[in-house]
Amino acid sequence: MWDQWRNDRLRDERITFNANNRVFSKYFIPIHSKMLVYVLGSVQQLQGVYEVTGDYRYSGDPRFNVELPVRLLLDKEIGLATSDIKRHISSFNPSTQGISYQAISKRIFDKLLSDLKNK
């Protein structure tokens, strides 16, 4: 997510993508899937968890024209740093341009979720 994520008044209910983004074109994200929220920019932390509540739909925004309905399940203002995440996913590199989604196993998800809850 972008580093102004906390200022988005709709962040509890949707995340947006550009239809040209490979996440939108490559991945089907099933309803009830869980998503970890890594905030980019000046934050550089894993700070939340979403549950997907619906299918992709068009948002009406010309730049971020696709949205995915979600419900925010966990929101931590102080989250996991990149180094914390790399203990579980050594290849994690959020500064790689264009990386906005990385599929992980349930086992890794559960470890990161536990670390985040205990932060």
Side-chain angles (χ1 to χ4, degrees):
M1 296 292 173
W2 64 309
D3 60 356
Q4 297 300 311
W5 174 67
R6 293 195 174 284
N7 299 332
D8 181 352
R9 64 180 178 80
L10 297 177
R11 73 185 175 98
D12 293 355
E13 59 191 65
R14 59 103 179 106
I15 56 174
T16 58
F17 301 96
N18 181 292
N20 294 322
N21 184 309
R22 68 181 183 183
V23 173
F24 173 68
S25 60
K26 184 176 179 181
Y27 294 102
F28 168 72
I29 304 174
I31 295 172
H32 304 296
S33 294
K34 305 289 190 300
M35 301 174 78
L36 297 168
V37 177
Y38 187 86
V39 183
L40 297 165
S42 61
V43 178
Q44 298 293 316
Q45 290 183 354
L46 179 70
Q47 293 191 333
V49 178
Y50 279 127
E51 179 180 15
V52 176
T53 60
D55 294 322
Y56 287 114
R57 60 186 180 213
Y58 287 96
S59 68
D61 182 310
R63 182 166 177 212
F64 298 103
N65 53 350
V66 178
E67 64 185 27
L68 187 62
V70 294
R71 180 175 66 231
L72 187 61
L73 301 176
L74 180 64
D75 182 1
K76 295 278 204 164
E77 287 197 41
I78 304 297
L80 300 178
T82 301
S83 58
D84 299 323
I85 298 166
K86 283 187 173 231
R87 288 188 322 204
H88 303 292
I89 307 171
S90 60
S91 64
F92 183 71
N93 186 0
S95 63
T96 302
Q97 187 174 6
I99 299 298
S100 61
Y101 179 82
Q102 181 175 358
I104 59 175
S105 69
K106 181 171 179 353
R107 181 180 64 80
I108 298 296
F109 177 91
D110 290 343
K111 287 180 179 183
L112 289 168
L113 179 58
S114 177
D115 289 356
L116 184 59
K117 284 181 177 178
N118 291 321
K119 193 69 176 171

